[in-house]
Amino acid sequence: HQVANLHTVLRPYLLRRVKEDVEKSLPPKEETILEVTLTPIQKQFYKAIYEKNTAFLFKGTKPSNAPSLMNVMMELRKCCNHPFLIRGAEDRIIDDAAEAEYKSLTPNEQIYREIDYAKLTGEQLVKSSGKFVLLSKLLPKLQSGGHKVLIFSQMVRVLDLIQEL
């Protein structure tokens, strides 16, 4: 009863519009569900979070920058979206990639060539998440075909990462 009264009082102050009332020319929504596998990095972090493997999760980081295991389900959701959402994972993934790139150089190149961290971060942003690998392939094709894409996410930080693509 109180809720109904509140709705009556608030109704003149709220603007609620439906898509059909605003834009008549929109085509019907087309939804396609694609299942994406986790990348090897995601699988490593997923398993470590699931098993609460603190030795893996805290390796090379201060405890203040380590993932919280208070809410394992939330950490697993973050991992499935993108491991960069896990506290401390982004720095570790990029450092590991930089170390691998450094080891792939010849001794002479190791002396004179600097690691391009901006490029490395961009590459790892895509390579670290199965969803981002798919997006990096799918979005250019859709854009070249003149399609418009609207991406929703329950996690604002996922949208922040997509913006960096």
Side-chain angles (χ1 to χ4, degrees), residues 112-153:
Y112 296 109
R113 210 161 120 209
E114 286 188 33
I115 303 290
D116 184 350
Y117 277 92
K119 180 177 173 245
L120 203 60
T121 302
E123 288 172 357
Q124 291 306 314
L125 180 68
V126 173
K127 287 181 182 176
S128 297
S129 167
K131 290 180 180 183
F132 277 57
V133 169
L134 178 68
L135 278 175
S136 70
K137 293 175 182 174
L138 192 60
L139 289 177
K141 287 181 184 175
L142 291 171
Q143 188 177 22
S144 68
H147 294 278
K148 292 183 180 178
V149 177
L150 185 60
I151 299 175
F152 289 96
S153 176

Side-chain angles (χ1 to χ4, degrees), residues 49 52 68-78:
I49 292 165
K52 296 186 178 184
S68 167
L69 293 176
M70 295 298 284
N71 187 344
V72 171
M73 288 303 289
M74 192 63 198
E75 293 301 316
L76 292 175
R77 284 185 63 207
K78 288 180 191 176

Side-chain angles (χ1 to χ4, degrees), residues 74-124:
M74 192 63 198
E75 293 301 316
L76 292 175
R77 284 185 63 207
K78 288 180 191 176
C79 181
C80 289
N81 278 301
H82 200 294
F84 282 18
L85 299 174
I86 302 166
R87 197 173 347 137
E90 179 177 355
D91 293 339
R92 180 165 163 195
I93 290 167
I94 292 168
D95 288 347
D96 288 351
E99 188 178 326
E101 185 174 315
Y102 180 78
K103 286 179 179 175
S104 73
L105 300 175
T106 65
N108 200 29
E109 288 177 320
Q110 289 177 351
I111 296 168
Y112 296 109
R113 210 161 120 209
E114 286 188 33
I115 303 290
D116 184 350
Y117 277 92
K119 180 177 173 245
L120 203 60
T121 302
E123 288 172 357
Q124 291 306 314

Side-chain angles (χ1 to χ4, degrees), residues 20-90:
E20 291 81 17
D21 297 339
V22 178
E23 181 59 66
K24 308 269 190 247
S25 65
L26 281 176
K29 178 177 80 171
E30 186 179 312
E31 187 174 328
T32 307
I33 297 172
L34 302 172
E35 292 191 14
V36 181
T37 59
L38 298 178
T39 62
I41 291 170
Q42 283 177 296
K43 287 178 184 174
Q44 281 181 322
F45 275 94
Y46 190 97
K47 185 177 180 191
I49 292 165
Y50 186 75
E51 294 174 349
K52 296 186 178 184
N53 180 348
T54 53
F56 175 83
L57 294 169
F58 295 3
K59 188 172 87 180
T61 187
K62 296 183 226 90
S64 61
N65 198 31
S68 167
L69 293 176
M70 295 298 284
N71 187 344
V72 171
M73 288 303 289
M74 192 63 198
E75 293 301 316
L76 292 175
R77 284 185 63 207
K78 288 180 191 176
C79 181
C80 289
N81 278 301
H82 200 294
F84 282 18
L85 299 174
I86 302 166
R87 197 173 347 137
E90 179 177 355

